[in-house]
Amino acid sequence: MSLPPVKTRERLSEVRYEIRGELARRARELEAQGRKQIKLNIGNPGAFGFRAPEHLQRAIAERIADTDPYTHQQGLPAAREAIASFHKLRGTPNASPERVFVGNGVSELIDLSLRALLNPGDEVLLPSPDYPLWSAATILNDGRPVYYRCQPENGFLPDPDEIEQLVSSRTRAIVLINPNNPTGAAYPRELIERIVAIAARHKLLLMCDEIYDSILYDGAQFTPVAPIAGDLPCLSFGGLSKVHRACGWRVGWAVLSGDPVASGDFHHAMDLLGALRLCANVPGQFAIDAALHGEDTIAPLCAPGGRLYEARRAVIEAVQASKHLQLVAPAGALYAFPAVVGAAAQGFDDHQFALELLETEDVLVVPGSSFNVPYRNHFRVTLLPQPDDLREVFHRIERVLDRHAER
Ligand code: PLP
């Protein structure tokens, strides 16, 4: 008897996460054949030799014997206290431990918060390009992504007038990713003020993915949204994965701020959904206080001479020397999002390019259209490799693009 195949959720066909998709699978195949790959697809610090700071490791090691029980669904009280006091210092209104949710990475909390918010057909305003989990989680929680454009010619900053035009009676939230993945844009204060004013006029929840909040270059500033939002309900996301290079520990948090009355049942919904998954990974929670109130270990990496700064410089210089590339220099985060221009861009398809680069040059990048943009002439690389490796990568990219330009 032949059994009918298992049917999966229909809306999965709308979901893409190409950072770990087909190209990554093909790279593993090539590796299994003995070909050494330079993989620039994932912002995974540990894969490039970064380690979580020692004082964070110690904080876990010293308490490992205490990590057996489940914790409260919102997280360990001491961890929530540390997050709330960090937020109070930056001016987040009404940040209290009761309004902090600790999760298994920001990833889990993005999903959980959209599940708490959305009814079928509700709309979420997302940046294009976006970090594609935001689109996926919106879709899988029965919502509809509506994209506001962050165009390269505007430094990848959004246009608040366009955001406001996209608001409909179904819009529930505005998502900001700042500093941005994949573009590296850091939003200026005036821009954030205008977006907050739109949220206020239309009674929208502000959802602010600030996981790269202190990865900034060349004097760029990070402006947190919550202090500007004041009484407006605002959910600010942060975590240990990037700034603290501990992505395998799966520690993230979301802080609900603003007038508690205005956030209605949202707190209760988050608490309930958190309870259904019992609690977040406990050992990682012991590192939160040390991370937020201990030594700043990210600033030296982002300053001249620091590993991330020099990696970014290597990419900027490689693009300047290229005949085929343009780049809005990233102000923050861990990525560059170059554009292919000129003769090489004729008939260019970012997926085909990424595949060709992999097959012929053993370099894995993410096609730009994976980040929900309509154009197909961008790609994303992470800034985590050694600067010399990035220089080598861009030599190989140039070779492929030279061939494209000659076609
Ligand atoms: N948000 C953004 C913008 C990211 O780039 C990432 C990971 O790359 C995440 C969230 C997820 O991070 P976490 O490791 O905390 O789940």
Side-chain angles (χ1 to χ4, degrees):
M1 188 183 76
S2 70
L3 294 169
V6 175
K7 283 200 181 135
T8 54
R9 200 185 150 116
E10 280 164 18
R11 291 205 78 186
L12 276 168
S13 65
E14 295 168 54
V15 170
R16 297 187 312 164
Y17 192 76
E18 288 162 3
I19 297 168
R20 290 171 180 252
E22 269 305 293
L23 288 160
R25 193 192 53 72
R26 179 66 186 144
R28 282 195 299 276
E29 252 172 37
L30 293 171
E31 271 175 340
Q33 293 165 17
R35 278 171 52 178
K36 191 172 167 332
Q37 304 294 305
I38 308 184
K39 297 202 245 180
L40 307 178
N41 57 323
I42 306 182
N44 180 359
F48 296 93
F50 289 93
R51 287 288 161 266
E54 265 179 39
H55 64 292
L56 272 63
Q57 296 185 19
R58 268 199 313 274
I60 296 179
E62 282 164 8
R63 303 295 301 273
I64 196 74
D66 304 338
T67 64
D68 302 353
Y70 292 130
T71 66
H72 186 275
Q73 57 267 26
Q74 285 183 226
L76 274 171
R80 288 191 278 143
E81 195 75 57
I83 296 163
S85 71
F86 174 77
H87 263 268
K88 270 189 205 134
L89 284 174
R90 69 160 59 155
T92 302
N94 292 324
S96 67
E98 294 71 43
R99 307 184 87 204
V100 171
F101 306 87
V102 181
N104 294 300
V106 167
S107 303
E108 182 188 47
L109 293 166
I110 289 173
D111 183 43
L112 217 119
S113 54
L114 288 168
R115 203 165 353 138
L117 183 72
L118 298 177
N119 282 304
D122 282 348
E123 294 172 2
V124 180
L125 289 168
L126 298 176
S128 165
D130 76 336
Y131 173 61
L133 172 63
W134 278 102
S135 291
T138 299
I139 292 166
L140 291 175
N141 288 300
D142 291 327
R144 197 168 83 80
V146 174
Y147 296 103
Y148 61 86
R149 292 175 303 169
C150 304
Q151 302 278 64
E153 44 287 8
N154 194 29
F156 288 119
L157 299 177
D159 169 3
D161 291 334
E162 180 181 314
I163 295 181
E164 189 147 29
Q165 279 159 19
L166 292 168
V167 174
S168 80
S169 59
R170 299 306 308 263
T171 310
R172 302 297 316 284
I174 304 181
V175 171
L176 297 180
I177 305 173
N178 175 44
N180 189 269
N181 174 7
T183 66
Y187 295 177
R189 189 180 175 86
E190 315 76 69
L191 175 62
I192 292 175
E193 283 170 353
R194 288 186 63 192
I195 296 173
V196 166
I198 295 167
R201 274 196 290 280
H202 301 278
K203 308 204 170 18
L204 307 175
L205 177 65
L206 285 157
M207 303 180 89
C208 310
D209 186 340
E210 298 174 342
I211 193 167
Y212 298 102
D213 60 359
S214 38
I215 305 186
L216 298 159
Y217 310 102
D218 275 342
Q221 296 289 316
F222 165 68
T223 307
V225 176
I228 297 174
D231 279 346
L232 284 187
C234 177
L235 203 54
S236 307
F237 299 85
L240 296 188
S241 290
K242 313 293 180 175
V243 172
H244 306 281
R245 285 92 68 208
C247 52
W249 294 356
R250 311 308 300 125
V251 179
W253 52 83
V255 179
L256 180 61
S257 59
D259 178 357
V261 176
S263 46
D265 285 339
F266 188 76
H267 182 287
H268 172 69
M270 288 288 286
D271 184 65
L272 174 62
L273 294 175
L276 291 173
R277 64 75 162 109
L278 308 182
C279 72
N281 159 48
V282 179
Q285 297 188 47
F286 281 108
I288 292 176
D289 185 31
L292 295 181
H293 299 289
E295 185 195 341
D296 176 355
T297 55
I298 190 70
L301 292 172
C302 298
R307 167 97 175 254
L308 292 171
Y309 185 90
E310 295 306 324
R312 171 178 170 273
R313 191 210 300 262
V315 171
I316 292 171
E317 287 175 359
V319 169
Q320 277 164 354
S322 165
K323 298 188 288 298
H324 313 293
L325 293 173
Q326 261 176 16
L327 177 71
V328 177
L334 294 176
Y335 313 92
F337 198 57
V340 178
V341 295
Q346 298 304 311
F348 188 84
D349 178 278
D350 57 358
H351 270 93
Q352 268 169 23
F353 161 72
L355 187 60
E356 184 181 344
L357 188 63
L358 184 63
E359 297 285 350
T360 64
E361 300 286 354
D362 295 311
V363 171
L364 176 59
V365 300
V366 187
S369 55
S370 313
F371 301 93
N372 296 299
V373 289
Y375 42 86
R376 300 198 126 225
N377 67 326
H378 284 65
F379 60 93
R380 189 192 78 169
V381 296
T382 172
L383 302 176
L384 288 164
Q386 291 287 356
D388 277 346
D389 288 341
L390 283 164
R391 278 186 269 275
E392 172 59 25
V393 159
F394 276 83
H395 278 309
R396 298 188 196 182
I397 288 174
E398 194 71 2
R399 260 200 308 259
V400 173
L401 293 176
D402 281 343
R403 288 203 296 272
H404 275 253
E406 282 159 18
R407 278 179 198 160

